[in-house]
Amino acid sequence: MLRAAVLGVFLLSVARHGRSQSYNAIYSFGDSISDTGNLCAGSGGCPSWLTTGQPPYGNTHFGRPTGRCTDGRVVVDFLAEHFGLPLLPPSKASGVDFKKGANMAIIGATTMDLEFFKSHGLGNSIWNNGPLGTQIQWFQQLMPAICGTDCKSYLNNSLFVVGEFGGNDYNAPLFGGKPMAEVRTYVPQIIDKITSSLEALIELGAVKLVVPGVLPIGCFPLYLTLYPSSNKDDYDEIGCLKSFNNLSSYHNDLLKQAVSGLQSKHAGVRLMYADFYAQVADMVRSPETFGLKYGLRVCCGAGGQGRYNYNNRARCGMAGASACGDPEKHLVWDGIHLTDAAYRAVADGWLNGTYCSPGILLH
């Protein structure tokens, strides 16, 4: 069932117009779901080999590729806009003032470091590109310029968005042919790493932290196309692959427990669990409720067979690919990332508490 749709519409107005909080800055960590362009921050812009750095990425809002893996903005951009802060600059940008925010998130980021994947025979399957621990180091390197010697008080009134993390930790072994049963054994270690990283940020001065869970990967056209099944029992009632979504749910269940444990341990800290999974599943189930039309159909690519309009050999940003004419009606942009319109709805859900516990705007 959709989560309190009528209440959500009412609170949406509150979220958009009632700024009950203000923050010094927003600092974000994560992967391609929240990257604002760290691979495109050099003087030469986006490298030619980066498909997500080519048109039509960025066309809806920016009119050009920015390194964001969507047609426009990502969730943290909408959060920054709501609180009257500038869009988060990538932390690798030079000559930028990070006092009002920075984004350490980067495409391909994992929770675990390369040694973890090597230990499971996946050293060649992972793009070791700024794992969580490294992103925290990047942030620490920025801190002197952000807040000098009085970081605790400055960061106490900044919003931290930590994740989602885990998606690429599971993509690598699944795409590498590891059985689902083995991949599930990685989950507790990944959650432990996220937990210890949250502890590290709290120690640095973070007291307001949004912690998103992973998305329902079994609902993404990339997975639906690569792992089709002739057995209808492998799909749930909204057309998503059960086994992959069960992995996401297992991760999220353990993450919620970890966040709850941290909250009990740190009375002065406000930890907010953002339910990416529930909202995206609801958007697939009833896209119209969120102002969309298409749930599982890809907007950008060269098209493919079947209902998903996805072709893994001609993905968005590659030769022959193009975008649909109505991205504002689509949930999925390129097969695994969402659209600007979808990310706006996600941000609203986190602000008003429909899909975030507690909501960012709620006390």
Side-chain angles (χ1 to χ4, degrees):
M1 293 178 65
L2 290 175
R3 288 190 168 193
V6 175
L7 176 62
V9 171
F10 170 75
L11 289 175
L12 181 63
S13 175
V14 176
R16 283 180 173 165
H17 299 106
R19 291 182 185 170
S20 57
Q21 292 106 321
S22 62
Y23 294 106
N24 292 330
I26 298 176
Y27 296 106
S28 174
F29 306 77
D31 55 22
S32 59
I33 301 297
S34 51
D35 188 1
T36 59
N38 265 310
L39 289 178
C40 300
S43 59
C46 297
S48 59
W49 53 264
L50 184 68
T51 56
T52 56
Q54 313 307 317
Y57 281 92
N59 278 7
T60 296
H61 182 75
F62 299 100
R64 60 179 176 81
T66 63
R68 291 168 174 82
C69 297
T70 179
D71 59 314
R73 293 154 291 186
V74 293
V75 175
V76 290
D77 291 320
F78 289 108
L79 296 180
E81 287 182 353
H82 177 84
F83 291 111
L85 294 167
L87 300 188
L88 276 62
S91 63
K92 294 302 176 186
S94 58
V96 174
D97 185 352
F98 297 110
K99 289 182 179 178
K100 293 189 176 181
N103 200 334
M104 277 55 66
I106 190 167
I107 295 169
T110 54
T111 311
M112 310 304 286
D113 60 21
L114 184 59
E115 292 307 310
F116 172 84
F117 295 100
K118 284 182 176 179
S119 72
H120 293 282
L122 292 162
N124 295 325
S125 301
I126 195 70
W127 188 15
N128 190 43
N129 197 37
L132 176 51
T134 299
Q135 290 186 30
I136 292 176
Q137 292 174 8
W138 292 345
F139 177 66
Q140 288 177 285
Q141 292 165 6
L142 296 179
M143 283 175 60
I146 291 171
C147 45
T149 58
D150 188 24
C151 277
K152 288 268 184 176
S153 62
Y154 193 83
L155 299 182
N156 279 181
N157 196 40
S158 296
L159 182 66
F160 286 74
V161 182
V162 189
E164 60 90 57
F165 276 104
N168 290 319
D169 297 83
Y170 306 127
N171 288 340
L174 290 171
F175 295 155
K178 293 287 186 181
M180 181 65 73
E182 178 180 333
V183 178
R184 284 180 66 90
T185 68
Y186 304 167
V187 177
Q189 299 168 77
I190 290 167
I191 297 302
D192 284 347
K193 180 63 177 178
I194 294 173
T195 305
S196 63
S197 298
L198 290 168
E199 288 267 24
L201 289 171
I202 291 169
E203 180 63 27
L204 291 174
V207 298
K208 301 177 182 74
L209 304 98
V210 178
V211 186
V214 295
L215 294 87
I217 58 175
C219 292
F220 280 93
L222 171 61
Y223 275 93
L224 288 162
T225 302
L226 293 181
Y227 302 101
S229 175
S230 57
N231 184 354
K232 65 179 182 180
D233 290 336
D234 289 336
Y235 297 86
D236 63 19
E237 79 283 0
I238 58 173
C240 302
L241 288 162
K242 291 179 182 177
S243 63
F244 294 99
N245 277 358
N246 287 342
L247 174 65
S248 294
S249 293
Y250 178 42
H251 171 103
N252 290 338
D253 287 344
L254 293 189
L255 181 61
K256 282 183 274 191
Q257 292 173 27
V259 168
S260 179
L262 281 175
Q263 185 64 80
S264 298
K265 182 178 177 182
H266 298 280
V269 171
R270 191 168 189 264
L271 286 154
M272 296 158 272
Y273 174 75
D275 201 340
F276 239 145
Y277 184 107
Q279 183 159 6
V280 171
D282 280 351
M283 294 167 99
V284 172
R285 183 178 291 107
S286 181
E288 296 83 3
T289 302
F290 300 88
L292 307 173
K293 182 177 180 181
Y294 305 103
L296 295 177
R297 185 175 176 81
V298 170
C299 173
C300 182
Q305 298 298 316
R307 60 183 293 202
Y308 311 119
N309 194 40
Y310 181 76
N311 184 342
N312 201 46
R313 293 188 296 272
R315 301 185 302 276
C316 189
M318 297 174 67
S322 60
C324 63
D326 55 351
E328 73 282 358
K329 295 297 183 183
H330 285 69
L331 168 64
V332 184
W333 169 246
D334 59 4
I336 199 166
H337 303 103
L338 307 184
T339 60
D340 177 281
Y343 284 134
R344 177 191 291 277
V346 170
D348 284 336
W350 292 7
L351 286 164
N352 65 42
T354 311
Y355 296 97
C356 190
S357 181
I360 298 173
L361 292 177
L362 304 180
H363 295 283

